[in-house]
Structures are given as structure tokens and as C-alpha cells.
Amino acid sequence: MATNAELIKVTDLCKYYKDGSLKALNGVSSTIDKGDVVVIIGPSGSGKSTFLRCLNLLEQPTSGSVVFNGIDITKKTYVNSEGKTVKLNIDEHRRSMGMVFQHFNLFPHMTVLDNMTLAPIKVKKMNKAEAEKKAKALLKRVGLEDRADAYPIQLSGGQKQRVAIVRALMMEPQVMLFDEPTSALDPEMVGEVLQVMAELANTGMTMVIVTHEMGFAREVGKRIIFMDGGKIVEEGTPQQIFGNPQSPRLKDFLKKVL
Amino acid sequence: MLSSAGFAKTWQYIQLFKEGLICTLSLSALTVVFGFILALIIALVRLSKVKPFDWLATAYVEVFRATPMLVQLFIVYYVIFANATLPTFKLFGFIRFERFLPGVVALSMNSGAYLSEIIRAGIQSIDVGQTEASRSLGLTGVQTMKNIILPQAIKNILPAIANEFVTIIKESSICYTIGVQEIMYAVNATKGATYRIAEPLIIATLVYFCLTFPTSKIIAFFERRMSRGDKR
Ligand SMILES: Nc1ncnc2c1ncn2[C@@H]1O[C@H](COP(=O)(O)OP(=O)(O)OP(=O)(O)O)[C@@H](O)[C@H]1O
Ligand SMILES: [Mg+2]
């Protein structure tokens, strides 16, 4: 049932490696609505990252579709509102999907401020002063207003990840994708990043989060997806998934991680 | 053999060596610039993996690396520029342009082949996460290369490029064979005039050494400092 709140609709997504002998994704379907906070959990190698990376086409799916704002972005062309077939520009769609990586991937040769303003200036043609003003306001929101001129190497892991999050927010994305944002952090820094993410969820941002932080998943997640072997095995509210798991594989997984 | 009288005779032609020094430096500097531009193009074409161009660029690199510099220089001067009528003015009032230009072209083509491998490795050494972060922000492939990958890659390979400059200073001596008035040309001219060979060669050795040795040391110094900066 399609609602007008539907943002991303994934249908029968497959991603094969090694000429098909490795099925990282083996027929995944799901819908992400506006304002959804979807947390993806599952054992290592179950295809969580691959799924996330297929959403913004960092990985080209082998088959299946990813419909974003009504347009299948896995295809080379699409039919526009006037009924004409036009070339699909993936960069345009990626702008509306922020992504945060496990290893931050800040640009080491640029200051925090330049990291944040690069894409708005180059892609959105925002003027520099406006971009910097916006960046500083966002830095303030995550408690890093005094680090604007620092280089990434001068920041702690938690600070780097907070910068990576606000860097993505600079583009005012419609959805934020997180791939294990706290897995590379020292334990004492995990909290500060999760807090920023929780606040972001409270603002109504649509989020898809791959994480091993089960406490966070339970508290902040509106919907949990459990993946195993390249498939969605079980899907539901945190209460359902953590309180009343159905499949043996999920039960087994939860026993190991909780 | 060496004699003070020989040095005295040679010294009368010191002007030729001064000109040779200017010529060698101009030749090497231009070669680094054009070689670098060529190398960048070759590296990007090879990395683009666009079939026929990728193949051509690879062939170019392999041919230039597998054949002697002297053969390349002669082909450029005696074959490629054979029927070209170049303007015959003199750079700095003495460097014959119609010989200098083919020299620069041959050296640049050779240097470009070697440098392209260095640049390619430099680009490949940048973490793919950088590209992914950039593309996820909506930057195009070209914008990503220009703003994210190349600045980091070039910084990493700057010492290698500087070392290439030192190599070219030495290799440019081969251009005397086509009459470019660099340092070895001065040696030959002095020999012709004085019938002395040892003393002009000693002077040439000293000039080359004074050019390349300090340059290498300065590069090594900055290389050490830069790697220290990366570690903290
Ligand atoms: N580029 C690639 N080439 C080949 N195989 C790959 C590639 N990327 C992922 N895979 C394989 O696809 C499968 C799913 O990988 P994926 O990274 O999506 O798992 P994951 O659920 O994110 O695991 P983790 O929790 O360890 O991050 C794994 O078997 C992995 O080895
Ligand atoms: Mg993963």
C-alpha cells in the first residue's frame, strides 16, 4: 500500500559478487517513509552495508529497483512529469541522501569548515559566506563551534563523526544513511555521537541506521530490520523485535549480542 | 691530463658554461612542467578505463619506458620535427629555439611516461572512502577528482616529482647530441677550441653536482618534515 509519505521503496534488490557466487543481497524489499527511523541489525556479512550502499547507488545493484521520490534511481533513464524519457543524473539524487561512514571519511586536506562548505558551494552553488554561516550554526548544534578551523587530524574520533554528520546535513538531505557510525570509536566517545543522532531523529529526519548498538536501536529506532544471508529475515517495532522475536535466527542473534 | 694551464685555457670559455647552466635549467624546468601535465593526462586516461584511450596510454608508457632516451630524442628531432619549420630566434639571446624545442618535447614525452606511473600510484593510494564520501555529498566524478583526490595525491607525490626534476637535470645532458646549448654542449665547444677535455669535464661535473646535490638534500628534508606532519 503506497502512501504519499513514502520516500524510498526498495523492491527485490539483489547484489551479487564474484560472478554471482556470492549473493550479498538476495531479494530485499522494504519501504522507508518520511520521518522513519529504520535500524538495520544482523550478523557480520549479512548484507547490511551493501543494502545501505545500494540505496544511494554507491553500489550498483545487480537487479531490483530503488525508487526514491517516485524515480527508480537504479536505471539510466526515467520518465519525467511531462511524460518524456530523460537521462537520470545520479549526483542530483545523491545530494538528497546524506551518508555517514564508519571511518568518518573527512577530507584530511581541508579544515572542518571547508569540509562542510565544499559540497554546498560546488554542488548547490551556495555563496561562501552563506555556506559558512550555515556550517557554523550546525557546528554549534553539535557543540563544535570552536573547531571550525581545525583539521580532521586534530579532532578526536567522536568529534570527527559529529563533523561528518553535520557535513552531510549541510546539503539538507531528505534521508540520512548511517553505516556503523560508532563502530570505529573508543567506547567513551560512542555516547556523544549517538546523542547527536537521537536529536536528529527527534527533529523528524528520515534515517536508516546500521548499528550494533542495541540499546540505541531499541530507544531511537521506530522500526527494526533484521538481516541475515542477504535477506530481510524479520522486521518490526523495537518491542516486537527485541521483546518477541519470531525466527530462530533472530533469537540466536539476540542471544549473542544482548 | 689535468694541468693548471689547462684550467686557465678552459676558464676563458667559462661564459659557455654559464650559458649551459641557464640552458640546462630552462630545459629541465620546462620538461618538469610539460612532463607533469602530460603525465596527469596519461594517468587520468589510464584510470578512466575508457577502452581505446586507456589502451593507447598504456602502450605509450610501455614504449617510452622500454626504449633508450637517445633513440626517443633522435626520433623527435630527426623524424617528427624533420619537416617542421620552427622559428629560429634565440632564447635569452643565445639558445637556438629550433633545437631547444625538440629537446623539451622529447624530454617531456619521456618524463611524462615515468611521472604518469607515479601519479597513477599516488591517486590509487588515496582511500576509496574519500571518493565515496565526496560522491555521497553529490559531487560529480570530475569534481571529486579535482577537489578531493588530486590535492591529496599530488601532496603525497611532491617529493617524487621533485626527484624527477633532479633526474631530468642529469638526463637533459643528452640534448647536446642535437645541438642544444646545455652544459655538455659547453664541454664539447671548449674541447674543440682548447683541445682540452679533462678540465671542461671536471667543470661540468662540478656544475651538475652543485645543481643536483643540494636539490636532493632539500627534497629529502621536506619529505622528512611532511611525513612527520602526517603522523601526529
Ligand atoms: N566489494 C565487494 N566485493 C566482494 N564481496 C563483497 C564486497 N562487498 C561486500 N562483499 C561481501 O558481501 C557480503 C555482505 O557484505 P556487507 O558488507 O554488506 O555485510 P555487513 O552486514 O555490512 O557486515 P559487517 O557487519 O561486517 O559490516 C559479505 O560476504 C562480503 O564479504
Ligand atoms: Mg558493514
Side-chain angles (χ1 to χ4, degrees), chain B residues 140-151:
Chain B
T140 63
V142 172
Q143 285 173 327
T144 299
M145 187 51 82
K146 181 165 158 265
N147 296 288
I148 307 300
I149 307 302
L150 281 182

PDB file of all heavy atoms in Angstrom, chain B residues 140-151:
ATOM      1  N   THR B 140      30.295  15.434  -8.494  1.00  0.00           N
ATOM      2  CA  THR B 140      30.458  14.557  -9.647  1.00  0.00           C
ATOM      3  C   THR B 140      31.833  13.889  -9.585  1.00  0.00           C
ATOM      4  O   THR B 140      32.673  14.263  -8.759  1.00  0.00           O
ATOM      5  CB  THR B 140      30.379  15.368 -10.949  1.00  0.00           C
ATOM      6  OG1 THR B 140      31.476  16.290 -10.958  1.00  0.00           O
ATOM      7  CG2 THR B 140      29.084  16.148 -11.066  1.00  0.00           C
ATOM      8  N   GLY B 141      32.047  12.935 -10.454  1.00  0.00           N
ATOM      9  CA  GLY B 141      33.336  12.256 -10.520  1.00  0.00           C
ATOM     10  C   GLY B 141      34.467  13.231 -10.777  1.00  0.00           C
ATOM     11  O   GLY B 141      35.532  13.154 -10.153  1.00  0.00           O
ATOM     12  N   VAL B 142      34.248  14.174 -11.702  1.00  0.00           N
ATOM     13  CA  VAL B 142      35.279  15.149 -12.041  1.00  0.00           C
ATOM     14  C   VAL B 142      35.544  16.086 -10.856  1.00  0.00           C
ATOM     15  O   VAL B 142      36.698  16.361 -10.508  1.00  0.00           O
ATOM     16  CB  VAL B 142      34.875  15.961 -13.296  1.00  0.00           C
ATOM     17  CG1 VAL B 142      35.849  17.102 -13.544  1.00  0.00           C
ATOM     18  CG2 VAL B 142      34.811  15.043 -14.506  1.00  0.00           C
ATOM     19  N   GLN B 143      34.475  16.563 -10.215  1.00  0.00           N
ATOM     20  CA  GLN B 143      34.640  17.441  -9.042  1.00  0.00           C
ATOM     21  C   GLN B 143      35.388  16.713  -7.930  1.00  0.00           C
ATOM     22  O   GLN B 143      36.215  17.312  -7.233  1.00  0.00           O
ATOM     23  CB  GLN B 143      33.269  17.889  -8.519  1.00  0.00           C
ATOM     24  CG  GLN B 143      32.602  18.950  -9.382  1.00  0.00           C
ATOM     25  CD  GLN B 143      31.180  19.248  -8.919  1.00  0.00           C
ATOM     26  OE1 GLN B 143      30.474  18.370  -8.427  1.00  0.00           O
ATOM     27  NE2 GLN B 143      30.755  20.490  -9.086  1.00  0.00           N
ATOM     28  N   THR B 144      35.091  15.441  -7.766  1.00  0.00           N
ATOM     29  CA  THR B 144      35.751  14.644  -6.738  1.00  0.00           C
ATOM     30  C   THR B 144      37.244  14.519  -7.033  1.00  0.00           C
ATOM     31  O   THR B 144      38.091  14.704  -6.155  1.00  0.00           O
ATOM     32  CB  THR B 144      35.120  13.240  -6.669  1.00  0.00           C
ATOM     33  OG1 THR B 144      33.744  13.384  -6.340  1.00  0.00           O
ATOM     34  CG2 THR B 144      35.801  12.382  -5.624  1.00  0.00           C
ATOM     35  N   MET B 145      37.571  14.232  -8.282  1.00  0.00           N
ATOM     36  CA  MET B 145      38.976  14.107  -8.671  1.00  0.00           C
ATOM     37  C   MET B 145      39.706  15.424  -8.407  1.00  0.00           C
ATOM     38  O   MET B 145      40.783  15.449  -7.827  1.00  0.00           O
ATOM     39  CB  MET B 145      39.042  13.724 -10.161  1.00  0.00           C
ATOM     40  CG  MET B 145      40.405  13.390 -10.695  1.00  0.00           C
ATOM     41  SD  MET B 145      41.335  12.176  -9.741  1.00  0.00           S
ATOM     42  CE  MET B 145      40.685  10.625 -10.330  1.00  0.00           C
ATOM     43  N   LYS B 146      39.092  16.526  -8.818  1.00  0.00           N
ATOM     44  CA  LYS B 146      39.741  17.829  -8.748  1.00  0.00           C
ATOM     45  C   LYS B 146      39.865  18.348  -7.307  1.00  0.00           C
ATOM     46  O   LYS B 146      40.909  18.880  -6.935  1.00  0.00           O
ATOM     47  CB  LYS B 146      38.933  18.816  -9.601  1.00  0.00           C
ATOM     48  CG  LYS B 146      39.499  20.206  -9.657  1.00  0.00           C
ATOM     49  CD  LYS B 146      38.857  21.008 -10.785  1.00  0.00           C
ATOM     50  CE  LYS B 146      38.992  22.489 -10.512  1.00  0.00           C
ATOM     51  NZ  LYS B 146      37.820  23.086  -9.859  1.00  0.00           N
ATOM     52  N   ASN B 147      38.816  18.199  -6.517  1.00  0.00           N
ATOM     53  CA  ASN B 147      38.818  18.813  -5.180  1.00  0.00           C
ATOM     54  C   ASN B 147      39.280  17.893  -4.069  1.00  0.00           C
ATOM     55  O   ASN B 147      39.768  18.362  -3.044  1.00  0.00           O
ATOM     56  CB  ASN B 147      37.411  19.311  -4.836  1.00  0.00           C
ATOM     57  CG  ASN B 147      36.954  20.414  -5.760  1.00  0.00           C
ATOM     58  OD1 ASN B 147      37.440  21.526  -5.675  1.00  0.00           O
ATOM     59  ND2 ASN B 147      36.053  20.090  -6.675  1.00  0.00           N
ATOM     60  N   ILE B 148      39.103  16.597  -4.251  1.00  0.00           N
ATOM     61  CA  ILE B 148      39.386  15.666  -3.153  1.00  0.00           C
ATOM     62  C   ILE B 148      40.605  14.790  -3.438  1.00  0.00           C
ATOM     63  O   ILE B 148      41.542  14.734  -2.638  1.00  0.00           O
ATOM     64  CB  ILE B 148      38.162  14.757  -2.876  1.00  0.00           C
ATOM     65  CG1 ILE B 148      36.900  15.591  -2.664  1.00  0.00           C
ATOM     66  CG2 ILE B 148      38.432  13.833  -1.680  1.00  0.00           C
ATOM     67  CD1 ILE B 148      36.960  16.559  -1.496  1.00  0.00           C
ATOM     68  N   ILE B 149      40.612  14.130  -4.574  1.00  0.00           N
ATOM     69  CA  ILE B 149      41.653  13.124  -4.814  1.00  0.00           C
ATOM     70  C   ILE B 149      42.984  13.753  -5.226  1.00  0.00           C
ATOM     71  O   ILE B 149      44.020  13.505  -4.597  1.00  0.00           O
ATOM     72  CB  ILE B 149      41.200  12.105  -5.890  1.00  0.00           C
ATOM     73  CG1 ILE B 149      39.835  11.512  -5.520  1.00  0.00           C
ATOM     74  CG2 ILE B 149      42.243  11.006  -6.064  1.00  0.00           C
ATOM     75  CD1 ILE B 149      39.792  10.827  -4.173  1.00  0.00           C
ATOM     76  N   LEU B 150      42.963  14.591  -6.276  1.00  0.00           N
ATOM     77  CA  LEU B 150      44.231  15.140  -6.770  1.00  0.00           C
ATOM     78  C   LEU B 150      44.993  15.961  -5.723  1.00  0.00           C
ATOM     79  O   LEU B 150      46.204  15.785  -5.583  1.00  0.00           O
ATOM     80  CB  LEU B 150      44.015  15.954  -8.054  1.00  0.00           C
ATOM     81  CG  LEU B 150      43.865  15.109  -9.325  1.00  0.00           C
ATOM     82  CD1 LEU B 150      43.711  16.015 -10.551  1.00  0.00           C
ATOM     83  CD2 LEU B 150      45.047  14.169  -9.523  1.00  0.00           C
ATOM     84  N   PRO B 151      44.346  16.859  -4.977  1.00  0.00           N
ATOM     85  CA  PRO B 151      45.121  17.623  -3.987  1.00  0.00           C
ATOM     86  C   PRO B 151      45.861  16.714  -3.004  1.00  0.00           C
ATOM     87  O   PRO B 151      47.010  16.986  -2.655  1.00  0.00           O
ATOM     88  CB  PRO B 151      44.065  18.459  -3.263  1.00  0.00           C
ATOM     89  CG  PRO B 151      42.929  18.560  -4.210  1.00  0.00           C
ATOM     90  CD  PRO B 151      42.935  17.278  -4.996  1.00  0.00           C
TER      91      PRO B 151
END
